[in-house]
Amino acid sequence: MRTSDADILIIPGWGGSGPDHWQSRWQQKLKTAQRVEQGDWDLPHQEEWTQKLIDTAKACTRPVVLVAHSLGVLVVTHAVPRLPDNVIGAFLVAPPDLRGTWVREVLPDAMVFDPTPHGKIPFHAHLIASSNDPYCTLAAAEHMATSWGATFANAGEAGHINTESGHGPWPEGLMSFGGFLGRL
């Protein structure tokens, strides 16, 4: 599948992926990409964020491919039972582990996404995680991928795979996304 054959939905996490984040760059570069906008990027609300994804996917006219980062990954997993049939794939990057001690210190509002769903995702999913992500251990990310039936890739020591960890353009990720699309 080519990017022009799909509606690509960009699903940021907490903070909304600023202008230098790889998600924002991909949104600008990929003509059929659009961001799933939330009312308040700094105050996560599980039901509102999930419903916004569902509504945006329902409005799409082509097959839908989801591109989620961090808390956006959990938005996808909460939405799965109610997503329309036009969703054919999910490219999931750097999910947070809400069981980690970091969440109470950094983002206690993220707990509205707990518990993390662990059922099989009914469409092709691929999860990429880092071996030194401060918000999720590699073992926890691998467990999520297995429970979701997603393929898994270890990005090595890449931090949270965001701007702060040096992943503005993230060309390796774009190449991986191209390979993912080719398998749909």
Side-chain angles (χ1 to χ4, degrees):
M1 170 173 281
R2 299 173 306 178
T3 58
S4 60
D5 297 330
D7 284 319
I8 299 166
L9 299 185
I10 306 290
I11 304 129
W14 177 74
S17 296
D20 292 329
H21 193 283
W22 61 267
Q23 281 188 308
S24 298
R25 291 172 184 242
W26 290 13
Q27 181 183 349
Q28 292 173 355
K29 183 177 186 135
L30 303 172
K31 292 180 183 177
T32 62
Q34 64 174 305
R35 181 176 304 250
V36 176
E37 293 290 349
Q38 300 297 346
D40 187 342
W41 287 111
D42 296 325
L43 186 60
H45 187 279
Q46 187 267 324
E47 182 54 35
E48 286 177 18
W49 284 27
T50 301
Q51 190 61 51
K52 186 67 172 184
L53 170 57
I54 294 163
D55 293 344
T56 304
K58 285 180 178 178
C60 291
T61 58
R62 290 177 284 236
V64 173
V65 177
L66 310 174
V67 177
H69 177 260
S70 193
L71 201 55
V73 173
L74 301 187
V75 172
V76 169
T77 61
H78 279 277
V80 161
R82 300 182 305 175
L83 284 171
D85 291 339
N86 62 340
V87 178
I88 62 168
F91 189 78
L92 310 170
V93 180
D97 178 8
L98 298 182
R99 300 292 180 196
T101 57
W102 71 271
V103 75
R104 286 176 249 328
E105 299 166 8
V106 177
L107 188 59
D109 292 333
M111 291 309 293
V112 298
F113 286 89
D114 194 39
T116 299
H118 286 290
K120 183 165 177 10
I121 294 174
F123 41 81
H124 189 63
H126 181 66
L127 188 144
I128 298 175
S130 163
S131 61
N132 66 341
D133 188 332
Y135 307 118
C136 186
T137 65
L138 192 61
E142 286 181 289
H143 175 72
M144 287 181 222
T146 299
S147 71
W148 297 332
T151 56
F152 179 79
N154 178 347
E157 293 185 0
H160 193 51
I161 313 177
N162 59 3
T163 308
E164 290 75 23
S165 64
H167 295 85
W170 196 34
E172 303 88 355
L174 193 54
M175 288 175 32
S176 181
F177 181 61
F180 173 75
L181 286 176
R183 293 186 296 275
L184 295 180

mmCIF file of all heavy atoms in Angstrom, residues 3 7-8 15 21 30 41 44-45 54 57 74 92 114 117 119 122 130 142 145 154 158 170-171 176 178:
data_model
loop_
_atom_site.group_PDB
_atom_site.id
_atom_site.type_symbol
_atom_site.label_atom_id
_atom_site.label_comp_id
_atom_site.label_asym_id
_atom_site.label_seq_id
_atom_site.Cartn_x
_atom_site.Cartn_y
_atom_site.Cartn_z
ATOM 1 N N THR A 3 1.171 5.522 0.651
ATOM 2 C CA THR A 3 0.553 6.485 1.564
ATOM 3 C C THR A 3 -0.660 7.151 0.918
ATOM 4 O O THR A 3 -1.628 7.471 1.603
ATOM 5 C CB THR A 3 1.557 7.561 2.015
ATOM 6 O OG1 THR A 3 2.080 8.233 0.867
ATOM 7 C CG2 THR A 3 2.684 6.951 2.831
ATOM 8 N N ASP A 7 -5.859 6.948 4.467
ATOM 9 C CA ASP A 7 -5.937 8.107 5.354
ATOM 10 C C ASP A 7 -5.075 7.757 6.554
ATOM 11 O O ASP A 7 -5.323 6.763 7.248
ATOM 12 C CB ASP A 7 -7.386 8.384 5.790
ATOM 13 C CG ASP A 7 -8.203 9.035 4.690
ATOM 14 O OD1 ASP A 7 -7.663 9.919 3.996
ATOM 15 O OD2 ASP A 7 -9.373 8.655 4.524
ATOM 16 N N ILE A 8 -4.035 8.538 6.786
ATOM 17 C CA ILE A 8 -3.096 8.284 7.864
ATOM 18 C C ILE A 8 -3.451 9.210 9.019
ATOM 19 O O ILE A 8 -3.415 10.429 8.873
ATOM 20 C CB ILE A 8 -1.650 8.507 7.384
ATOM 21 C CG1 ILE A 8 -1.345 7.540 6.240
ATOM 22 C CG2 ILE A 8 -0.662 8.341 8.536
ATOM 23 C CD1 ILE A 8 -0.091 7.867 5.476
ATOM 24 N N GLY A 15 0.920 16.304 25.482
ATOM 25 C CA GLY A 15 1.666 17.443 24.953
ATOM 26 C C GLY A 15 1.445 17.686 23.471
ATOM 27 O O GLY A 15 1.744 18.758 22.970
ATOM 28 N N HIS A 21 8.704 17.382 16.384
ATOM 29 C CA HIS A 21 8.505 15.949 16.632
ATOM 30 C C HIS A 21 8.324 15.223 15.301
ATOM 31 O O HIS A 21 7.751 15.773 14.360
ATOM 32 C CB HIS A 21 7.265 15.774 17.511
ATOM 33 C CG HIS A 21 7.097 14.419 18.105
ATOM 34 N ND1 HIS A 21 6.635 13.352 17.382
ATOM 35 C CD2 HIS A 21 7.307 13.967 19.366
ATOM 36 C CE1 HIS A 21 6.557 12.292 18.171
ATOM 37 N NE2 HIS A 21 6.970 12.645 19.385
ATOM 38 N N LEU A 30 3.485 13.766 4.539
ATOM 39 C CA LEU A 30 2.560 12.799 3.950
ATOM 40 C C LEU A 30 1.225 13.480 3.640
ATOM 41 O O LEU A 30 0.521 13.910 4.543
ATOM 42 C CB LEU A 30 2.365 11.612 4.902
ATOM 43 C CG LEU A 30 3.653 10.883 5.305
ATOM 44 C CD1 LEU A 30 3.371 9.858 6.393
ATOM 45 C CD2 LEU A 30 4.312 10.237 4.093
ATOM 46 N N TRP A 41 -4.186 19.010 25.072
ATOM 47 C CA TRP A 41 -3.074 18.058 24.971
ATOM 48 C C TRP A 41 -2.369 17.849 26.310
ATOM 49 O O TRP A 41 -1.625 16.883 26.461
ATOM 50 C CB TRP A 41 -2.058 18.533 23.936
ATOM 51 C CG TRP A 41 -2.539 18.392 22.529
ATOM 52 C CD1 TRP A 41 -2.854 19.401 21.665
ATOM 53 C CD2 TRP A 41 -2.768 17.174 21.815
ATOM 54 N NE1 TRP A 41 -3.273 18.879 20.471
ATOM 55 C CE2 TRP A 41 -3.226 17.519 20.529
ATOM 56 C CE3 TRP A 41 -2.640 15.833 22.135
ATOM 57 C CZ2 TRP A 41 -3.547 16.574 19.562
ATOM 58 C CZ3 TRP A 41 -2.958 14.882 21.175
ATOM 59 C CH2 TRP A 41 -3.403 15.253 19.910
ATOM 60 N N PRO A 44 -4.896 14.745 29.733
ATOM 61 C CA PRO A 44 -5.468 13.572 29.066
ATOM 62 C C PRO A 44 -6.799 13.146 29.682
ATOM 63 O O PRO A 44 -6.947 13.113 30.901
ATOM 64 C CB PRO A 44 -4.410 12.481 29.272
ATOM 65 C CG PRO A 44 -3.340 13.047 30.102
ATOM 66 C CD PRO A 44 -3.653 14.459 30.424
ATOM 67 N N HIS A 45 -7.734 12.840 28.812
ATOM 68 C CA HIS A 45 -9.041 12.345 29.237
ATOM 69 C C HIS A 45 -9.342 11.140 28.362
ATOM 70 O O HIS A 45 -9.574 11.284 27.160
ATOM 71 C CB HIS A 45 -10.109 13.434 29.077
ATOM 72 C CG HIS A 45 -11.420 13.053 29.651
ATOM 73 N ND1 HIS A 45 -12.310 12.258 28.976
ATOM 74 C CD2 HIS A 45 -11.982 13.326 30.852
ATOM 75 C CE1 HIS A 45 -13.385 12.075 29.719
ATOM 76 N NE2 HIS A 45 -13.206 12.703 30.865
ATOM 77 N N ILE A 54 -12.089 7.686 17.318
ATOM 78 C CA ILE A 54 -13.164 6.919 16.673
ATOM 79 C C ILE A 54 -13.910 7.787 15.665
ATOM 80 O O ILE A 54 -14.132 7.377 14.518
ATOM 81 C CB ILE A 54 -14.121 6.343 17.733
ATOM 82 C CG1 ILE A 54 -13.395 5.300 18.592
ATOM 83 C CG2 ILE A 54 -15.371 5.745 17.089
ATOM 84 C CD1 ILE A 54 -14.096 4.975 19.890
ATOM 85 N N ALA A 57 -11.745 8.522 12.567
ATOM 86 C CA ALA A 57 -11.630 7.339 11.707
ATOM 87 C C ALA A 57 -12.913 7.099 10.924
ATOM 88 O O ALA A 57 -12.871 6.750 9.736
ATOM 89 C CB ALA A 57 -11.269 6.112 12.542
ATOM 90 N N LEU A 74 -1.984 4.195 23.792
ATOM 91 C CA LEU A 74 -3.058 3.730 24.678
ATOM 92 C C LEU A 74 -4.421 4.224 24.217
ATOM 93 O O LEU A 74 -5.432 3.544 24.422
ATOM 94 C CB LEU A 74 -2.777 4.143 26.120
ATOM 95 C CG LEU A 74 -1.466 3.604 26.706
ATOM 96 C CD1 LEU A 74 -1.382 3.923 28.193
ATOM 97 C CD2 LEU A 74 -1.284 2.132 26.445
ATOM 98 N N LEU A 92 2.658 1.707 16.077
ATOM 99 C CA LEU A 92 2.655 2.134 17.475
ATOM 100 C C LEU A 92 4.089 2.353 17.952
ATOM 101 O O LEU A 92 4.926 1.451 17.830
ATOM 102 C CB LEU A 92 1.970 1.062 18.327
ATOM 103 C CG LEU A 92 0.601 0.581 17.816
ATOM 104 C CD1 LEU A 92 0.133 -0.646 18.601
ATOM 105 C CD2 LEU A 92 -0.418 1.705 17.879
ATOM 106 N N ASP A 114 -5.543 3.752 32.650
ATOM 107 C CA ASP A 114 -5.309 2.484 33.308
ATOM 108 C C ASP A 114 -6.651 1.825 33.598
ATOM 109 O O ASP A 114 -7.590 2.516 34.013
ATOM 110 C CB ASP A 114 -4.522 2.734 34.609
ATOM 111 C CG ASP A 114 -3.938 1.476 35.191
ATOM 112 O OD1 ASP A 114 -3.463 0.646 34.412
ATOM 113 O OD2 ASP A 114 -3.968 1.338 36.426
ATOM 114 N N PRO A 117 -5.464 -1.836 27.983
ATOM 115 C CA PRO A 117 -6.089 -3.011 27.356
ATOM 116 C C PRO A 117 -5.020 -3.976 26.838
ATOM 117 O O PRO A 117 -3.985 -3.549 26.326
ATOM 118 C CB PRO A 117 -6.894 -2.418 26.203
ATOM 119 C CG PRO A 117 -7.133 -0.994 26.596
ATOM 120 C CD PRO A 117 -5.893 -0.594 27.351
ATOM 121 N N GLY A 119 -6.075 -6.952 24.944
ATOM 122 C CA GLY A 119 -6.671 -7.856 23.969
ATOM 123 C C GLY A 119 -6.031 -7.703 22.600
ATOM 124 O O GLY A 119 -5.403 -6.696 22.286
ATOM 125 N N PRO A 122 -7.447 -6.322 16.143
ATOM 126 C CA PRO A 122 -7.977 -7.096 15.018
ATOM 127 C C PRO A 122 -7.489 -6.656 13.634
ATOM 128 O O PRO A 122 -8.074 -7.044 12.629
ATOM 129 C CB PRO A 122 -9.486 -6.899 15.148
ATOM 130 C CG PRO A 122 -9.623 -5.542 15.743
ATOM 131 C CD PRO A 122 -8.452 -5.412 16.692
ATOM 132 N N SER A 130 12.059 1.329 22.671
ATOM 133 C CA SER A 130 13.473 1.570 22.929
ATOM 134 C C SER A 130 13.934 0.818 24.174
ATOM 135 O O SER A 130 13.157 0.627 25.103
ATOM 136 C CB SER A 130 13.669 3.081 23.113
ATOM 137 O OG SER A 130 14.891 3.369 23.726
ATOM 138 N N GLU A 142 7.533 -5.285 25.047
ATOM 139 C CA GLU A 142 7.410 -6.584 24.374
ATOM 140 C C GLU A 142 6.157 -7.318 24.841
ATOM 141 O O GLU A 142 5.460 -7.949 24.036
ATOM 142 C CB GLU A 142 8.642 -7.437 24.638
ATOM 143 C CG GLU A 142 9.862 -6.974 23.860
ATOM 144 C CD GLU A 142 11.069 -7.855 24.107
ATOM 145 O OE1 GLU A 142 11.616 -7.796 25.237
ATOM 146 O OE2 GLU A 142 11.451 -8.586 23.174
ATOM 147 N N ALA A 145 3.196 -5.755 23.065
ATOM 148 C CA ALA A 145 3.141 -6.197 21.663
ATOM 149 C C ALA A 145 2.576 -7.612 21.565
ATOM 150 O O ALA A 145 1.707 -7.884 20.734
ATOM 151 C CB ALA A 145 4.527 -6.121 21.030
ATOM 152 N N ASN A 154 12.822 -3.591 18.323
ATOM 153 C CA ASN A 154 13.620 -2.907 19.330
ATOM 154 C C ASN A 154 14.416 -1.823 18.612
ATOM 155 O O ASN A 154 15.257 -2.123 17.762
ATOM 156 C CB ASN A 154 14.547 -3.911 20.014
ATOM 157 C CG ASN A 154 15.459 -3.289 21.051
ATOM 158 O OD1 ASN A 154 15.602 -2.071 21.144
ATOM 159 N ND2 ASN A 154 16.104 -4.138 21.827
ATOM 160 N N ALA A 158 17.171 4.458 22.151
ATOM 161 C CA ALA A 158 16.574 5.599 21.453
ATOM 162 C C ALA A 158 15.725 6.475 22.365
ATOM 163 O O ALA A 158 14.975 7.322 21.891
ATOM 164 C CB ALA A 158 15.741 5.105 20.271
ATOM 165 N N TRP A 170 13.509 11.538 12.401
ATOM 166 C CA TRP A 170 13.463 10.087 12.550
ATOM 167 C C TRP A 170 13.318 9.349 11.216
ATOM 168 O O TRP A 170 12.312 8.701 10.941
ATOM 169 C CB TRP A 170 12.374 9.686 13.537
ATOM 170 C CG TRP A 170 12.480 8.281 14.046
ATOM 171 C CD1 TRP A 170 13.609 7.568 14.295
ATOM 172 C CD2 TRP A 170 11.393 7.396 14.357
ATOM 173 N NE1 TRP A 170 13.317 6.311 14.754
ATOM 174 C CE2 TRP A 170 11.938 6.182 14.801
ATOM 175 C CE3 TRP A 170 10.010 7.517 14.310
ATOM 176 C CZ2 TRP A 170 11.169 5.099 15.196
ATOM 177 C CZ3 TRP A 170 9.242 6.454 14.704
ATOM 178 C CH2 TRP A 170 9.813 5.255 15.143
ATOM 179 N N PRO A 171 14.335 9.441 10.342
ATOM 180 C CA PRO A 171 14.268 8.779 9.036
ATOM 181 C C PRO A 171 14.159 7.262 9.128
ATOM 182 O O PRO A 171 13.495 6.638 8.288
ATOM 183 C CB PRO A 171 15.564 9.205 8.339
ATOM 184 C CG PRO A 171 16.469 9.647 9.428
ATOM 185 C CD PRO A 171 15.583 10.165 10.533
ATOM 186 N N SER A 176 10.785 2.399 8.343
ATOM 187 C CA SER A 176 10.047 1.304 8.964
ATOM 188 C C SER A 176 8.547 1.413 8.659
ATOM 189 O O SER A 176 7.880 0.413 8.379
ATOM 190 C CB SER A 176 10.289 1.297 10.473
ATOM 191 O OG SER A 176 9.613 0.241 11.093
ATOM 192 N N GLY A 178 7.253 2.823 6.016
ATOM 193 C CA GLY A 178 7.083 2.429 4.615
ATOM 194 C C GLY A 178 7.021 0.924 4.472
ATOM 195 O O GLY A 178 6.191 0.386 3.713
#
